[in-house]
Amino acid sequence: MTVLISALIGSLILAAVFYDMARLLTPSESRCPPLARIRGRRAALESAEMWLVGLRLHGRIDAAAYRTRMHSLAHGERTQGGRNG
């Protein structure tokens, strides 16, 4: 009985490790930045900027995509979610 329980716990831990590795290695973003519609356009752009900084800090996008998206945010355009660009 203890062997069965330890095997079950071990397989759950192993599945969690593989899930975490796959999530960290995939280049796509999991969700879009919050819209912040109630506070207006400026707040939405600020929110998108903070989201973009978080993506860069966690290695979800590369430097070129970060620069491109920040440039478009500086010109008042919200960036679309997607893969590295």
Side-chain angles (χ1 to χ4, degrees), residues 5-38:
I5 292 173
S6 63
L8 180 64
I9 292 173
S11 63
L12 287 175
I13 290 173
L14 194 59
V17 167
F18 284 129
Y19 170 77
D20 192 41
M21 285 176 30
R23 188 182 57 83
L24 289 175
L25 294 177
T26 54
S28 63
E29 302 165 21
S30 61
R31 56 182 191 183
C32 296
L35 293 178
R37 293 180 192 163
I38 297 173

Side-chain angles (χ1 to χ4, degrees), residues 1-83:
M1 185 66 175
T2 58
V3 173
L4 181 64
I5 292 173
S6 63
L8 180 64
I9 292 173
S11 63
L12 287 175
I13 290 173
L14 194 59
V17 167
F18 284 129
Y19 170 77
D20 192 41
M21 285 176 30
R23 188 182 57 83
L24 289 175
L25 294 177
T26 54
S28 63
E29 302 165 21
S30 61
R31 56 182 191 183
C32 296
L35 293 178
R37 293 180 192 163
I38 297 173
R39 296 181 308 181
R41 180 177 172 85
R42 174 179 255 173
L45 290 172
E46 289 174 3
S47 178
E49 181 180 353
M50 288 188 299
W51 179 266
L52 187 57
V53 169
L55 289 176
R56 180 66 184 130
L57 287 176
H58 293 299
R60 296 283 190 181
I61 58 173
D62 59 352
Y66 177 76
R67 279 192 302 271
T68 303
R69 290 182 181 189
M70 279 299 220
H71 179 75
S72 64
L73 282 176
H75 291 285
E77 303 168 1
R78 283 185 42 94
T79 58
Q80 297 293 325
R83 296 177 185 229

